[in-house]
Amino acid sequence: MRQELVARQVDEQIAVRFPVGQRLRVLDVGMGQGTQALRLARAGHSVTGLESDAGMLKAARDALTTEPEGIRERVRFLEGDGRETGVHFLPGSFDVVLCHGVLMYVTERDAMLAGLARMLAPGGLLSLLVRNADALAMRPGLAGDWPATLAAFDTDSYTNRLGLDVRADHLDALTATLAGIAAPLHTWYGVRVFTDLVGNDQELPPAQELDQILAAEDRAGRTDPYRRVAALLHLCGVRG
């Protein structure tokens, strides 16, 4: 669900920012298993994936081996830390930089974002996916965990589905940071408004129902007040 919604939103922003058919230089920082990286490579773009977790990197490389040669030629996967993009790449090397599900693990968030912004060419797109600190009480509240719900109002920390204690981010704070690093916020979406309690191991519903769920999530994710209580925020900044 998350991957599909974010993919649609990324494609929408690419269509707004760049001419139809332009082959873009894409950097996916913390790419995980390479879902978005491979999808964009299939769309014709040149994609570099950066991942610090050896297991995730292996999964992405294994997935790449199943792709046609023409797609494999457009992809390179590197082991590395998103906080050190300047070690691997020159400033202005990319048209699109993705950083999805990474910032919650990073202590020096603003420094990392500044480094990512430097990787963008003028007019480039910075795509961030973060946990929404303004809605941390929603998940435990909907689950009926009232002590956790009350505690969530006064913190930006939470325990993720991997059991790790991590940090959520506030929309206002990230908006200010993006303005300060010359990649001001262009638009933003909510992700997982209605489906946050659905487990990762739950089977997909029939196609017609799935289409309806995606349509509802897509509309809520771009409509106030619904998007403000989404579990995740997808922010899109544009390099000045």
Side-chain angles (χ1 to χ4, degrees):
M1 185 68 64
R2 181 196 72 179
Q3 295 283 12
E4 176 62 24
L5 290 167
V6 171
R8 294 181 182 190
Q9 294 158 3
V10 168
D11 288 348
E12 180 176 273
Q13 291 306 309
I14 286 176
V16 168
R17 301 301 310 171
F18 303 101
V20 175
Q22 180 176 342
R23 293 195 172 186
L24 304 174
R25 301 163 299 166
V26 179
L27 172 63
D28 189 351
V29 174
M31 65 174 177
Q33 298 177 346
T35 302
Q36 295 296 333
L38 291 174
R39 186 188 66 81
L40 289 166
R42 294 184 199 111
H45 305 301
S46 175
V47 181
T48 300
L50 190 65
E51 176 56 57
S52 61
D53 184 275
M56 289 289 188
L57 185 60
K58 181 181 184 304
R61 285 173 169 162
D62 288 347
L64 181 60
T65 63
T66 67
E67 298 289 334
E69 181 179 357
I71 292 175
R72 296 199 305 270
E73 291 174 347
R74 293 196 292 272
V75 178
R76 60 173 177 157
F77 291 152
L78 306 176
E79 184 171 2
D81 194 311
R83 293 168 293 186
E84 300 174 351
T85 49
V87 173
H88 301 281
F89 315 111
L90 294 174
S93 296
F94 299 96
D95 304 300
V96 178
V97 172
L98 311 180
C99 183
H100 296 166
V102 175
L103 288 186
M104 57 275 292
Y105 300 103
V106 177
T107 303
E108 299 296 330
R109 179 198 66 191
D110 289 0
M112 178 173 171
L113 289 175
L116 298 183
R118 283 194 291 271
M119 296 300 103
L120 285 169
L125 175 68
L126 176 60
S127 172
L128 307 174
L129 187 69
V130 303
R131 185 68 192 272
N132 183 7
D134 296 314
L136 282 182
M138 290 297 294
R139 181 183 293 176
L142 292 172
D145 184 345
W146 305 120
T149 301
L150 292 170
F153 284 109
D154 301 312
T155 183
D156 61 0
S157 299
Y158 70 103
T159 302
N160 67 11
R161 297 187 181 191
L162 299 176
L164 301 175
D165 293 328
V166 289
R167 187 201 69 252
D169 288 292
H170 294 276
L171 176 63
D172 289 347
L174 283 175
T175 299
T177 296
L178 290 173
I181 61 174
L185 185 66
H186 174 69
T187 193
W188 65 278
Y189 308 86
V191 177
R192 289 210 322 247
V193 177
F194 304 123
T195 58
D196 189 42
L197 294 185
V198 177
N200 291 336
D201 57 350
Q202 185 167 327
E203 292 186 7
L204 291 175
Q208 183 177 1
E209 182 181 351
L210 180 60
D211 287 344
Q212 292 173 334
I213 294 171
L214 286 168
E217 284 280 1
D218 180 73
R219 183 163 181 178
R222 59 183 73 235
T223 305
D224 287 326
Y226 303 103
R227 63 178 179 165
R228 293 188 174 274
V229 296
L232 305 170
L233 300 177
H234 181 197
L235 289 77
C236 299
V238 176
R239 179 71 169 170

